[in-house]
Amino acid sequence: MTEPTIVPVALGERSYDIAIGPGLLAGAGARVAALAPGARVAVVTDETVARLHLPTLAAGLEAAGLKHAAVTVRPGEGSKNYATFARVCDELIAAKIERGDIVLAFGGGVVGDLAGFAAAVVRRGMRFVQVPTTLLAQVDSSVGGKTGINSPHGKNLVGAFHQPSLVIADTAVLDTLSPREFRAGYAEVAKYGLIDDEPFFHWLERSWREVLAGGAARQTAIARSCRSKAAIVARDETETGDRALLNLGHTFGHALEAVTRYDGNRLVHGEGVAIGMVLAHEFSARQGLCPQEEPSRVAAHLAAVGLPTRLGEVPGGVGTADELMAAITQDKKVRRGQLTFILTRGIGRSFIARDVDPEAVRRFLAEKLAEA
Ligand SMILES: NC(=O)c1ccc[n+]([C@@H]2O[C@H](COP(=O)([O-])OP(=O)(O)OC[C@H]3O[C@@H](n4cnc5c(N)ncnc54)[C@H](O)[C@@H]3O)[C@@H](O)[C@H]2O)c1
Ligand SMILES: O=C(O)C(=O)C[C@@H](O)[C@H](O)[C@H](O)COP(=O)(O)O
Ligand SMILES: [Zn+2]
């Protein structure tokens, strides 16, 4: 069996490891038992992941002598809402899960964000472990401690920073993921190259087929993404500065998710990020920050992988520039009413731009919508 890669996340007393490799799910119970001997484990998962992979996880927990119970939610972004959050909290409390026990998030980013937020507040904070089962969750959402739910006003507007105590990413569970969801996660992989790692982006341009196919290239891409994220989170845990770079493409992407009402049939998060990253590069070129070849190259790569890159590709449309701007002004990076965007001087040269002129963004979106 391939040796797992261990990526440390250095956060002082909140430090933890990310274990990455094929076949780790069966032994996840033993890793959790080493962390919290004798703890009870409340597994929060969704119906699809429960059907496909819960028996393997549960057998490992039992073999390690850990009692466990499952809380199951419906798959998809719709579960990141107040009602589901309240139910998850109440089920954890009803199951008499104690503060020293473990909440185990078993699923994609939706389950991770929801379960992590519940772990942050139930009994004023419980330990939690992430066992991510989508590419997106393995390279991004399971790491760094951002947890939360959506508000009718916008994406992730209610939440908390709450770090996991351990992340276990079994790369073999990705074999059951749909090609569409795999590609959505790939957008966040490409993001790390676009932020500050041009050689990684070049490697992805050459190797994306192998990453999609599985095997060593997939594990390499996941580990490199986790190292990038761990480095940024270690220097800015709560996004007072550099961590905002991880939001590349998200100001546009989150607005697209909001105007499509979090309907995964139309747009999932990674697809919004793909379109958003292309828009961020195009807007940067429009502002004279980088040559037009850069957005073209980004769009060409993401399109080759099979991701949407244009507003016109979202089924049912994305509304008007004013509707998109209304969503953008709810972004958590807004400071004293001023928009913050992650812009770029070229591939791997992203930076945080404060005081972006909203009228320039609105005009740009109106042009893009007219092209769509
Ligand atoms: N906290 C963070 O730092 C962070 C980072 C990035 C994204 N996010 C959030 O993550 C969410 C998106 O996560 P996602 O893309 O993982 O979506 P998701 O959790 O909705 O999972 C996508 C779909 O795949 C299914 N699935 C999961 N694992 C599977 C498997 N192994 N086999 C078959 N099907 C499987 C799920 O049931 C679901 O239908 C968004 O809400 C986004 O805001 C958070
Ligand atoms: O970890 C981060 O920081 C990120 O921004 C990662 C993003 O990929 C992720 O989608 C995150 O949930 C967005 O955060 P938000 O603060 O803009 O809601
Ligand atoms: Zn994201």
Side-chain angles (χ1 to χ4, degrees):
M1 186 198 268
T2 321
E3 276 300 300
T5 305
I6 305 293
V7 176
V9 185
L11 285 170
E13 61 186 15
R14 289 181 305 288
S15 297
Y16 52 94
D17 282 343
I18 310 166
I20 304 161
L24 297 187
L25 189 57
R31 286 179 194 267
V32 175
L35 180 78
R40 287 202 305 149
V41 179
V43 178
V44 181
T45 188
D46 74 30
E47 289 158 6
T48 305
V49 176
R51 179 170 46 79
L52 293 168
H53 299 293
L54 188 54
T56 308
L57 175 69
L61 291 169
E62 272 150 37
L66 299 180
K67 290 202 171 63
H68 57 93
V71 178
T72 307
V73 303
R74 295 184 65 180
E77 190 72 29
S79 284
K80 267 176 66 171
N81 64 11
Y82 287 114
T84 311
F85 174 67
R87 179 169 69 79
V88 170
C89 290
D90 277 337
E91 288 196 24
L92 293 175
I93 295 164
K96 301 232 170 71
I97 297 296
E98 298 168 5
R99 218 182 222 176
D101 288 332
I102 297 281
V103 173
L104 189 151
F106 185 44
V110 165
V111 161
D113 283 10
L114 183 67
F117 186 31
V121 297
V122 166
R123 302 196 199 281
R124 293 214 182 89
M126 301 181 51
R127 277 193 294 183
F128 92 109
V129 169
Q130 289 266 18
V131 182
T133 64
T134 61
L135 177 64
L136 183 140
Q138 296 193 353
V139 300
D140 194 347
S141 62
S142 64
V143 178
K146 270 191 184 176
T147 73
I149 57 173
N150 303 323
S151 143
H153 293 283
K155 184 82 185 170
N156 299 338
L157 290 180
V158 179
F161 286 99
H162 186 56
Q163 298 294 340
S165 303
L166 174 67
V167 180
I168 303 167
D170 179 346
T171 54
V173 301
L174 302 181
D175 291 342
T176 57
L177 199 59
S178 72
R180 181 185 175 204
E181 291 292 357
F182 196 93
R183 289 193 295 268
Y186 185 94
E188 303 271 26
V189 174
K191 178 182 79 175
Y192 296 108
L194 296 175
I195 291 173
D196 62 1
D197 192 351
E198 191 182 6
F200 183 45
F201 188 78
H202 291 177
W203 180 82
L204 288 171
E205 285 180 312
R206 294 192 304 277
S207 315
W208 64 269
R209 289 178 191 79
E210 288 84 350
V211 174
L212 263 59
R218 180 184 289 180
Q219 185 159 335
T220 300
I222 294 170
R224 191 145 170 183
S225 300
C226 286
R227 275 193 202 98
S228 283
K229 181 152 187 182
I232 293 179
V233 168
R235 60 180 195 262
D236 177 20
E237 184 179 1
T238 55
E239 201 176 289
T240 53
D242 262 16
R243 183 165 180 170
L245 291 167
L246 294 170
N247 242 240
L248 175 64
H250 284 63
T251 313
F252 291 121
H254 280 172
L256 294 174
E257 287 188 83
V259 298
T260 54
R261 307 205 185 293
Y262 310 113
D263 177 355
N265 292 317
R266 294 170 70 192
L267 189 81
V268 293
H269 177 75
E271 294 169 341
V273 170
I275 297 173
M277 291 193 301
V278 173
L279 289 174
H281 281 72
E282 285 178 344
F283 184 69
S284 300
R286 191 70 57 92
Q287 300 291 105
L289 293 165
C290 69
Q292 180 54 41
E293 291 74 48
E294 302 289 284
S296 303
R297 188 165 177 189
V298 175
H301 176 56
L302 298 177
V305 171
L307 280 159
T309 57
R310 291 180 296 105
L311 294 175
E313 290 178 79
V314 180
V318 294
T320 64
D322 285 338
E323 282 162 345
L324 288 169
M325 286 309 292
I328 282 173
T329 53
Q330 282 288 9
D331 185 56
K332 291 185 291 310
K333 298 188 298 305
V334 170
R335 272 195 187 176
R336 305 267 186 273
Q338 305 278 354
L339 296 184
T340 297
F341 269 83
I342 312 310
L343 299 181
T344 186
R345 299 192 176 84
I347 288 166
R349 299 173 63 208
S350 296
F351 66 97
I352 302 165
R354 310 269 180 207
D355 301 350
V356 173
D357 175 14
E359 188 44 34
V361 180
R362 203 199 59 77
R363 270 199 314 273
F364 167 74
L365 285 170
E367 282 170 34
K368 287 284 137 195
L369 286 166
E371 282 170 20

Coordinates of all heavy atoms in Angstrom, one line a residue, residues 69-130:
A69 N -22.3 7.1 16.9 CA -23.6 7.3 16.4 C -23.5 8.2 15.2 O -22.6 8.9 15.0 CB -24.5 8.0 17.5
A70 N -24.6 8.1 14.3 CA -24.5 8.9 13.1 C -25.7 9.9 13.0 O -26.8 9.6 13.4 CB -24.5 8.1 11.8
V71 N -25.3 11.1 12.6 CA -26.3 12.2 12.3 C -26.2 12.4 10.8 O -25.2 12.7 10.3 CB -26.0 13.5 13.0 CG1 -27.0 14.6 12.6 CG2 -26.0 13.3 14.5
T72 N -27.4 12.2 10.1 CA -27.3 12.2 8.6 C -28.1 13.4 8.1 O -29.2 13.6 8.5 CB -27.8 10.9 8.0 OG1 -27.1 9.9 8.7 CG2 -27.6 10.8 6.5
V73 N -27.6 14.1 7.1 CA -28.3 15.2 6.5 C -28.4 15.0 5.0 O -27.8 14.0 4.4 CB -27.5 16.6 6.7 CG1 -27.3 16.9 8.1 CG2 -26.2 16.6 5.9
R74 N -29.3 15.8 4.3 CA -29.5 15.6 2.9 C -28.2 16.1 2.2 O -27.6 17.1 2.6 CB -30.7 16.3 2.4 CG -32.0 15.7 3.0 CD -33.2 16.4 2.5 NE -33.3 16.2 1.1 CZ -34.3 16.6 0.3 NH1 -35.3 17.4 0.9 NH2 -34.4 16.4 -0.9
P75 N -27.9 15.4 1.0 CA -26.7 15.9 0.3 C -26.9 17.3 -0.3 O -28.0 17.6 -0.7 CB -26.5 14.9 -0.8 CG -27.4 13.7 -0.5 CD -28.5 14.3 0.4
G76 N -25.9 18.1 -0.4 CA -25.9 19.3 -1.2 C -25.9 20.6 -0.3 O -26.2 20.5 0.9
E77 N -25.7 21.7 -1.0 CA -25.5 23.0 -0.4 C -26.7 23.4 0.4 O -26.6 24.2 1.4 CB -25.2 24.0 -1.5 CG -24.8 25.4 -1.1 CD -23.4 25.4 -0.5 OE1 -22.5 24.6 -0.9 OE2 -23.2 26.3 0.4
G78 N -27.9 22.9 0.0 CA -29.1 23.3 0.7 C -29.1 22.9 2.2 O -29.8 23.5 3.0
S79 N -28.2 22.0 2.6 CA -28.1 21.6 4.0 C -27.3 22.6 4.9 O -27.3 22.5 6.1 CB -27.5 20.2 4.2 OG -28.5 19.2 3.8
K80 N -26.7 23.5 4.2 CA -25.9 24.5 5.0 C -26.9 25.7 5.4 O -26.7 26.8 5.0 CB -24.7 25.1 4.2 CG -23.4 24.3 4.5 CD -22.3 24.8 3.6 CE -21.8 26.1 3.9 NZ -20.5 26.4 3.2
N81 N -28.0 25.3 6.1 CA -28.9 26.3 6.5 C -29.2 26.2 8.0 O -28.8 25.3 8.7 CB -30.2 26.2 5.7 CG -30.9 24.8 5.9 OD1 -30.6 24.1 6.9 ND2 -31.9 24.5 5.1
Y82 N -30.0 27.2 8.5 CA -30.3 27.3 9.9 C -31.0 26.0 10.4 O -30.7 25.5 11.5 CB -31.1 28.5 10.3 CG -30.4 29.8 10.2 CD1 -30.8 30.8 9.2 CD2 -29.4 30.2 11.1 CE1 -30.1 32.0 9.1 CE2 -28.8 31.4 11.0 CZ -29.2 32.3 10.1 OH -28.5 33.5 10.0
A83 N -32.0 25.6 9.6 CA -32.8 24.5 10.1 C -32.0 23.2 10.3 O -32.1 22.5 11.3 CB -34.0 24.2 9.1
T84 N -31.2 22.9 9.3 CA -30.4 21.7 9.4 C -29.3 21.8 10.5 O -29.1 20.8 11.2 CB -29.7 21.4 8.0 OG1 -30.7 21.5 7.0 CG2 -29.0 20.0 8.0
F85 N -28.8 23.0 10.6 CA -27.8 23.2 11.7 C -28.4 23.0 13.0 O -27.8 22.3 13.9 CB -27.2 24.7 11.5 CG -26.3 25.1 12.7 CD1 -25.1 24.5 12.8 CD2 -26.7 26.0 13.6 CE1 -24.2 24.8 13.8 CE2 -25.9 26.4 14.6 CZ -24.7 25.8 14.8
A86 N -29.6 23.5 13.2 CA -30.3 23.3 14.5 C -30.5 21.9 14.8 O -30.3 21.4 15.9 CB -31.6 24.1 14.5
R87 N -30.9 21.1 13.7 CA -31.2 19.7 13.9 C -29.9 19.0 14.3 O -29.9 18.1 15.2 CB -31.9 19.1 12.7 CG -32.1 17.6 12.8 CD -33.0 17.1 11.7 NE -32.3 17.0 10.4 CZ -31.5 16.1 10.0 NH1 -31.1 15.1 10.8 NH2 -30.9 16.1 8.8
V88 N -28.8 19.3 13.6 CA -27.6 18.6 13.9 C -27.2 18.8 15.3 O -26.8 17.9 16.1 CB -26.5 19.0 12.9 CG1 -25.1 18.5 13.4 CG2 -26.8 18.5 11.5
C89 N -27.2 20.1 15.8 CA -26.9 20.5 17.2 C -27.7 19.7 18.1 O -27.2 19.1 19.1 CB -27.0 22.0 17.4 SG -25.8 23.0 16.6
D90 N -29.1 19.7 17.9 CA -30.0 19.0 18.8 C -29.7 17.5 18.9 O -29.8 16.8 19.9 CB -31.4 19.3 18.5 CG -31.8 20.7 19.1 OD1 -31.2 21.1 20.1 OD2 -32.8 21.3 18.6
E91 N -29.4 16.9 17.7 CA -29.2 15.4 17.7 C -27.9 15.1 18.5 O -27.8 14.1 19.1 CB -29.1 14.9 16.3 CG -30.5 14.9 15.7 CD -30.7 14.0 14.4 OE1 -29.9 13.1 14.2 OE2 -31.6 14.3 13.6
L92 N -26.9 16.0 18.3 CA -25.6 15.8 19.1 C -25.9 15.8 20.6 O -25.4 15.0 21.4 CB -24.6 16.8 18.7 CG -24.0 16.7 17.3 CD1 -23.1 17.9 17.0 CD2 -23.3 15.4 17.1
I93 N -26.7 16.8 21.0 CA -27.1 17.0 22.4 C -27.9 15.8 22.9 O -27.6 15.2 24.0 CB -27.8 18.4 22.6 CG1 -26.8 19.5 22.3 CG2 -28.3 18.5 24.0 CD1 -27.5 20.9 22.1
A94 N -28.9 15.4 22.1 CA -29.8 14.3 22.5 C -29.0 13.0 22.6 O -29.3 12.2 23.5 CB -30.9 14.1 21.4
A95 N -27.9 12.9 21.8 CA -27.1 11.6 21.9 C -26.1 11.7 23.1 O -25.3 10.8 23.3 CB -26.4 11.4 20.6
K96 N -26.2 12.8 23.9 CA -25.4 12.9 25.1 C -23.9 12.9 24.8 O -23.1 12.3 25.5 CB -25.8 11.9 26.2 CG -27.2 11.9 26.7 CD -27.3 12.0 28.2 CE -28.6 12.3 28.7 NZ -29.6 11.2 28.6
I97 N -23.6 13.4 23.6 CA -22.2 13.6 23.2 C -21.6 14.6 24.2 O -22.1 15.7 24.3 CB -22.1 14.0 21.8 CG1 -22.7 13.0 20.8 CG2 -20.6 14.3 21.4 CD1 -22.0 11.6 20.9
E98 N -20.5 14.2 24.9 CA -19.9 15.1 25.8 C -18.8 16.0 25.2 O -18.3 15.7 24.1 CB -19.2 14.3 27.0 CG -20.2 13.5 27.7 CD -19.5 12.5 28.7 OE1 -18.3 12.5 28.7 OE2 -20.2 11.7 29.3
R99 N -18.4 17.0 25.9 CA -17.4 17.9 25.4 C -16.1 17.2 25.0 O -15.4 17.6 24.0 CB -17.0 18.9 26.5 CG -16.8 20.3 26.0 CD -16.4 21.2 27.2 NE -17.1 22.5 27.0 CZ -17.0 23.4 27.9 NH1 -16.3 23.2 29.1 NH2 -17.6 24.6 27.7
G100 N -15.7 16.2 25.8 CA -14.4 15.5 25.5 C -14.6 14.4 24.4 O -13.6 13.7 24.0
D101 N -15.8 14.3 23.9 CA -16.0 13.3 22.8 C -15.6 13.9 21.4 O -15.1 15.1 21.4 CB -17.5 12.8 22.8 CG -17.8 11.9 23.9 OD1 -16.9 11.2 24.4 OD2 -19.0 11.9 24.4
I102 N -15.9 13.3 20.4 CA -15.5 13.7 19.0 C -16.7 13.9 18.1 O -17.5 12.9 17.9 CB -14.5 12.7 18.4 CG1 -13.2 12.5 19.3 CG2 -14.2 13.0 17.0 CD1 -12.2 13.6 19.1
V103 N -16.7 15.0 17.4 CA -17.6 15.2 16.3 C -16.8 14.8 15.0 O -15.7 15.4 14.9 CB -18.2 16.6 16.2 CG1 -19.0 16.8 14.9 CG2 -19.1 16.9 17.4
L104 N -17.2 13.9 14.2 CA -16.4 13.5 13.1 C -17.2 13.9 11.8 O -18.3 13.4 11.6 CB -16.1 12.0 13.1 CG -15.2 11.4 12.1 CD1 -14.4 10.2 12.6 CD2 -15.9 11.1 10.8
A105 N -16.7 14.8 11.1 CA -17.3 15.3 9.8 C -16.9 14.3 8.7 O -15.8 14.3 8.3 CB -16.9 16.7 9.5
F106 N -17.9 13.6 8.1 CA -17.6 12.6 7.1 C -18.4 12.9 5.9 O -19.6 12.6 5.7 CB -18.1 11.2 7.7 CG -17.7 10.1 6.9 CD1 -16.5 9.9 6.3 CD2 -18.6 9.0 6.7 CE1 -16.1 8.8 5.5 CE2 -18.3 7.9 5.9 CZ -17.1 7.8 5.3
G107 N -17.7 13.7 5.0 CA -18.4 14.0 3.7 C -17.6 15.1 3.0 O -16.4 15.3 3.2
G108 N -18.3 15.8 2.2 CA -17.7 16.9 1.4 C -17.7 18.2 2.2 O -17.9 18.2 3.5
G109 N -17.5 19.3 1.6 CA -17.4 20.6 2.3 C -18.6 21.0 3.0 O -18.6 21.7 4.0
V110 N -19.8 20.6 2.4 CA -21.1 20.9 3.1 C -21.1 20.3 4.5 O -21.4 21.0 5.5 CB -22.3 20.5 2.2 CG1 -23.6 20.5 3.0 CG2 -22.4 21.4 1.0
V111 N -20.9 19.0 4.6 CA -20.9 18.4 5.9 C -19.8 18.9 6.8 O -20.0 19.1 8.0 CB -20.7 16.8 5.6 CG1 -20.3 16.1 6.9 CG2 -22.0 16.2 5.1
G112 N -18.6 19.2 6.2 CA -17.5 19.7 7.0 C -17.8 21.0 7.6 O -17.6 21.3 8.8
D113 N -18.4 21.9 6.8 CA -18.7 23.3 7.3 C -19.8 23.2 8.4 O -19.7 23.9 9.4 CB -19.1 24.2 6.2 CG -17.9 24.7 5.3 OD1 -16.8 24.2 5.5 OD2 -18.2 25.6 4.5
L114 N -20.8 22.4 8.1 CA -21.9 22.3 9.0 C -21.5 21.6 10.3 O -21.8 22.1 11.4 CB -23.0 21.4 8.3 CG -24.3 21.2 8.9 CD1 -25.1 22.5 9.0 CD2 -25.1 20.2 8.0
A115 N -20.9 20.4 10.2 CA -20.5 19.7 11.4 C -19.4 20.5 12.2 O -19.5 20.5 13.5 CB -19.9 18.3 11.0
G116 N -18.5 21.1 11.5 CA -17.5 21.9 12.2 C -18.1 23.1 13.0 O -17.7 23.4 14.1
F117 N -19.1 23.7 12.4 CA -19.8 24.8 13.1 C -20.6 24.3 14.3 O -20.5 24.9 15.4 CB -20.7 25.5 12.1 CG -21.4 26.8 12.7 CD1 -20.7 27.6 13.7 CD2 -22.6 27.2 12.3 CE1 -21.3 28.7 14.2 CE2 -23.2 28.3 12.8 CZ -22.5 29.1 13.7
A118 N -21.2 23.1 14.2 CA -21.9 22.5 15.3 C -20.9 22.2 16.4 O -21.1 22.5 17.6 CB -22.7 21.2 14.9
A119 N -19.7 21.6 16.0 CA -18.7 21.3 17.0 C -18.2 22.6 17.7 O -17.8 22.5 18.8 CB -17.5 20.5 16.3
A120 N -18.2 23.7 17.0 CA -17.7 24.9 17.6 C -18.6 25.5 18.7 O -18.1 26.1 19.6 CB -17.5 26.0 16.5
V121 N -19.9 25.1 18.6 CA -20.8 25.8 19.5 C -21.5 24.8 20.5 O -21.9 25.2 21.6 CB -21.9 26.6 18.8 CG1 -21.2 27.8 18.0 CG2 -22.7 25.8 17.8
V122 N -21.7 23.5 20.1 CA -22.4 22.6 21.0 C -21.5 22.4 22.3 O -20.3 22.2 22.2 CB -22.6 21.2 20.3 CG1 -23.0 20.2 21.4 CG2 -23.8 21.4 19.3
R123 N -22.1 22.6 23.4 CA -21.4 22.5 24.7 C -20.2 23.5 24.7 O -19.2 23.3 25.3 CB -20.9 21.1 25.1 CG -22.1 20.1 25.1 CD -21.8 18.9 25.9 NE -22.8 17.8 25.5 CZ -24.0 17.8 26.0 NH1 -24.4 18.6 26.9 NH2 -24.9 16.8 25.6
R124 N -20.4 24.6 24.0 CA -19.4 25.7 23.8 C -18.1 25.2 23.2 O -17.0 25.8 23.4 CB -19.1 26.4 25.2 CG -20.3 27.2 25.7 CD -19.9 28.4 26.4 NE -21.0 29.1 27.0 CZ -21.5 28.9 28.1 NH1 -21.0 28.0 28.9 NH2 -22.6 29.5 28.5
G125 N -18.1 24.1 22.5 CA -16.9 23.8 21.7 C -16.5 22.4 22.0 O -16.2 22.0 23.1
M126 N -16.5 21.5 20.9 CA -16.1 20.1 21.1 C -15.0 19.9 20.1 O -14.8 20.6 19.1 CB -17.3 19.2 20.7 CG -18.4 19.4 21.6 SD -19.7 18.3 21.1 CE -18.9 16.7 21.1
R127 N -14.2 18.8 20.4 CA -13.2 18.5 19.4 C -13.8 17.9 18.2 O -14.8 17.2 18.3 CB -12.2 17.4 20.0 CG -11.2 18.0 20.9 CD -10.1 17.0 21.2 NE -10.7 16.0 22.1 CZ -10.0 15.0 22.6 NH1 -8.7 14.9 22.3 NH2 -10.5 14.1 23.4
F128 N -13.2 18.2 17.0 CA -13.7 17.5 15.8 C -12.6 17.0 14.9 O -11.5 17.5 14.9 CB -14.8 18.3 15.2 CG -14.4 19.3 14.1 CD1 -14.8 19.0 12.8 CD2 -13.8 20.5 14.4 CE1 -14.5 19.9 11.8 CE2 -13.5 21.4 13.4 CZ -13.8 21.1 12.1
V129 N -13.0 16.0 14.1 CA -12.1 15.4 13.2 C -12.7 15.5 11.8 O -13.9 15.3 11.7 CB -11.8 13.9 13.6 CG1 -11.1 13.2 12.5 CG2 -11.1 13.8 14.9
Q130 N -11.9 15.8 10.8 CA -12.5 15.9 9.4 C -12.0 14.6 8.7 O -10.8 14.3 8.6 CB -11.9 17.1 8.7 CG -12.4 18.4 9.2 CD -13.6 18.9 8.4 OE1 -14.2 18.2 7.7 NE2 -13.8 20.2 8.5

